[in-house]
Amino acid sequence: MKNFLDQDFLLETNTAKTLYHNFAAKLPIIDYHCHLPPNQIADDSNFKNLTQIWLYGDHYKWRAMRANGIPEKYITGDASDYEKFEKWAETVPYTLRNPLYHWTHLELQRYFDVYDILSPATARKIYDECTAKLQTPEYSVRRLIQKMNVESIGTTDDPLDDLFFHQKIKADGFSVKVLPSFRPDKAMNADNVQEFNSYIKKLAEISGQQITNFNQFLDALKGRHDFFAQHGCTVSDHGLERLYCEEYTDAEIEGIFTKILDQQILTSAEVLKFKSCMLINLAIWDHEKGWVQQYHVGALRNTNTRLLDQLGPDTGFDSIGDFSQAAGLSKFLNKLDSTNRLTKTILYNLNPADNEMLAAMAGNFNDGTIAGKIQFGAAWWFLDQKHGIIDQINSLSNMGLLGRFIGMITDSRSFLSYPRHEYFRRILCNLIGNDVENGELPADTEWLGKMVENICYFNALKYFNS
């Protein structure tokens, strides 16, 4: 019997161990998509205690605690930080076979050199030991990032952001690149006319130009796209239920935008036409600048309206959706490709039932100009666990070229999330190792090791021109 979370965790064969320890483990991390707050990196602050760095804002843990019958007071409420940590420690034993159990103990080991199993019996000791370390200079935000051998970070930023903190990080000479990503979800949110008008007003103020029609709106937003490019941005990102590609005319969009400015509620057809128009325009700008565009599809958000009203969005009430993806995605990509305006694109899928479809769709638009131009992206959100990662790798392997894959992301708001890259790397090496020892792949350690290195680091380095 193997020991829990030892040096060969998740590595079942000698080949897997060789591939991980000799090739994957040593590589830097390119975390090209996450939700880390750049202000905390700029301030290089220290967290006051383990709860604040580990539980604040972590809706993965919040969902688990609610499922364990923990009252909201101890999750997002007014209980003390240690009381919240106690309730998390009470929940952890019930997370067995959930990725949270692995992540929790990987993070304790890799950041804090704590090898105890978290439970109510060990909670006080672990909390005090980790909190004491968090007060030291070695555990400031930037040191935590450096500790995990992170080379570059792609944050997720609204077009209206002034990027002040990114500029400060760069001016400070921080060894890790922290670059913005252009996330224009709010700039196409025609579902809520009132909120959208507020956004348009802020855009007008920031851009210093009047917005009384759709062309002026596009010009102002394009100015923000240019501004991001001037400050090192080379990546856009979208969080969508699905790719919208409805037919529309310029006159229709102008009329829809006038209705928005007049605070008139749009029909569902008008919303889809507007979003389709926005996605095409944004994609064209990305192509003009040679950016990479990312599409996260398949989330059904804000499902629990009672708790949404109480706690707000991004608090743990989103889920996997079952939207029809293929037709719209194909039409969207083809519309761009047909005029040679399809830039490098990453497609992230949240519904495992769509894995093969998205992997196959990516292959339709690889055109020989760039290796791996259209990527079936890493397992995301509910799927970035052992079986979800395996399924994504298998779908990509069967439908495309695993050797051109650009690897893992954290997609996280936590500074303690970087062991997820290790988790991915171990799973990848184990899959390849098993194939070798089953006689399904040749035992060519040199080539397999190079492929592992490329997937874990070098492919992304080249893809993002880092």
Side-chain angles (χ1 to χ4, degrees):
M1 182 175 67
K2 292 178 65 176
N3 292 323
F4 174 64
L5 249 174
D6 65 5
Q7 66 174 359
D8 293 326
F9 173 58
L10 295 175
L11 305 174
E12 298 172 330
T13 65
N14 288 330
T15 303
K17 294 171 187 176
T18 297
L19 290 175
Y20 177 72
H21 293 300
N22 293 1
F23 296 97
K26 64 184 179 181
L27 294 168
I29 290 171
I30 297 176
D31 194 31
Y32 51 88
H33 173 72
C34 72
H35 297 271
L36 291 178
N39 62 305
Q40 292 182 337
I41 304 174
D43 293 341
D44 194 23
S45 52
N46 284 74
F47 286 88
K48 292 181 179 179
N49 56 54
L50 186 54
T51 298
Q52 291 191 10
I53 193 172
W54 224 17
L55 295 177
Y56 280 28
D58 191 338
H59 53 79
Y60 286 79
K61 293 186 178 73
W62 295 350
R63 286 170 65 94
M65 293 168 76
R66 292 179 188 123
N68 197 40
I70 304 298
E72 199 64 35
K73 171 183 178 180
Y74 299 100
I75 302 171
T76 62
D78 60 1
S80 71
D81 283 347
Y82 182 68
E83 288 174 318
K84 291 178 179 178
F85 183 79
E86 276 188 311
K87 293 301 182 182
W88 170 237
E90 181 182 312
T91 299
V92 166
Y94 293 92
T95 66
L96 285 169
R97 303 202 81 244
N98 184 297
L100 284 167
Y101 196 82
H102 285 160
W103 295 346
T104 292
H105 293 98
L106 276 172
E107 290 164 14
L108 286 174
Q109 288 188 16
R110 299 299 179 263
Y111 288 96
F112 300 102
D113 296 313
V114 169
Y115 290 81
D116 296 319
I117 301 299
L118 181 57
S119 70
T122 60
R124 183 82 253 180
K125 175 179 179 292
I126 289 174
Y127 184 86
D128 289 346
E129 182 175 343
C130 295
T131 295
K133 288 179 177 179
L134 286 168
Q135 307 312 302
T136 65
E138 290 74 19
Y139 281 80
S140 71
V141 164
R142 294 188 189 183
R143 293 291 185 89
L144 289 170
I145 293 170
Q146 291 170 322
K147 187 180 181 70
M148 291 296 106
N149 198 20
V150 179
E151 184 172 281
S152 61
I153 294 171
T155 59
T156 303
D157 309 279
D158 186 88
L160 303 188
D161 196 295
D162 64 9
L163 303 183
F164 169 80
F165 296 111
H166 293 83
Q167 296 173 59
K168 183 178 186 303
I169 294 165
K170 183 178 180 180
D172 288 347
F174 183 39
S175 62
V176 178
K177 291 182 182 178
V178 182
L179 300 174
S181 300
F182 192 81
R183 176 77 171 242
D185 293 359
K186 292 180 180 179
M188 48 186 283
N189 183 26
D191 301 271
N192 189 318
V193 172
Q194 185 175 359
E195 287 185 5
F196 195 29
N197 268 285
S198 176
Y199 191 88
I200 294 169
K201 182 179 179 181
K202 292 176 184 175
L203 174 61
E205 292 171 354
I206 289 172
S207 64
Q209 60 189 88
Q210 190 179 35
I211 299 178
T212 60
N213 58 52
F214 182 65
N215 285 334
Q216 289 176 343
F217 172 72
L218 273 189
D219 287 344
L221 191 61
K222 176 66 160 52
R224 300 308 300 166
H225 197 271
D226 295 341
F227 174 79
F228 269 58
Q230 293 162 10
H231 290 86
C233 180
T234 60
V235 179
S236 70
D237 182 56
H238 304 260
L240 305 167
E241 293 178 344
R242 58 186 176 86
L243 265 297
Y244 312 108
C245 198
E246 304 296 316
E247 296 296 333
Y248 60 84
T249 66
D250 292 344
E252 284 179 314
I253 299 302
E254 191 60 64
I256 290 168
F257 194 75
T258 299
K259 285 184 68 175
I260 291 170
L261 293 180
D262 290 341
Q263 300 276 358
Q264 297 181 43
I265 303 300
L266 304 183
T267 67
S268 58
E270 288 172 329
V271 170
L272 290 177
K273 285 177 183 287
F274 184 79
K275 288 184 175 183
S276 299
C277 175
M278 290 302 301
L279 283 176
I280 290 294
N281 277 282
L282 290 160
I284 289 171
W285 301 344
D286 291 345
H287 178 266
E288 288 172 350
K289 291 186 174 71
W291 284 12
V292 174
Q293 59 190 7
Q294 304 178 95
Y295 298 98
H296 291 77
V297 299
L300 182 63
R301 298 179 186 273
N302 303 325
T303 61
N304 187 324
T305 55
R306 176 177 63 85
L307 292 175
L308 174 68
D309 290 342
Q310 178 183 333
L311 302 173
D314 302 320
T315 50
F317 305 105
D318 305 323
S319 189
I320 293 172
D322 57 353
F323 308 100
S324 178
Q325 300 285 1
L329 176 57
S330 175
K331 188 176 180 182
F332 175 76
L333 294 175
N334 186 60
K335 188 167 186 176
L336 294 168
D337 187 77
S338 64
T339 55
N340 198 28
R341 292 187 291 188
L342 179 60
T343 192
K344 290 183 282 188
T345 302
I346 309 173
L347 306 172
Y348 302 95
N349 173 49
L350 197 57
N351 185 350
D354 291 328
N355 275 351
E356 278 75 16
M357 182 278 291
L358 262 82
M361 189 69 71
N364 294 339
F365 296 94
N366 278 314
D367 56 10
T369 59
I370 300 168
K373 176 181 176 180
I374 312 300
Q375 291 277 326
F376 176 40
W380 165 54
W381 200 346
F382 291 102
L383 305 184
D384 62 353
Q385 26 76 10
K386 179 181 174 182
H387 294 288
I389 291 170
I390 290 171
D391 288 347
Q392 187 271 342
I393 291 173
N394 284 338
S395 296
L396 172 56
S397 300
N398 287 327
M399 304 294 168
L401 299 181
L402 177 62
R404 292 299 186 181
F405 181 36
I406 58 173
M408 190 58 176
I409 53 173
T410 62
D411 188 41
S412 175
R413 293 168 172 79
S414 171
F415 290 101
L416 298 185
S417 65
Y418 282 106
R420 294 185 197 179
H421 280 263
E422 175 187 339
Y423 196 63
F424 166 83
R425 292 175 179 185
R426 287 176 178 272
I427 291 167
L428 171 70
C429 292
N430 192 60
L431 278 175
I432 296 171
N434 283 343
D435 285 350
V436 170
E437 302 212 10
N438 287 336
E440 297 175 47
L441 292 176
D444 184 347
T445 303
E446 182 179 356
W447 174 249
L448 294 174
K450 181 178 180 180
M451 184 173 78
V452 165
E453 290 179 332
N454 286 341
I455 294 168
C456 295
Y457 175 72
F458 288 104
N459 286 348
L461 185 72
K462 186 174 182 181
Y463 193 78
F464 292 98
N465 302 314
S466 297

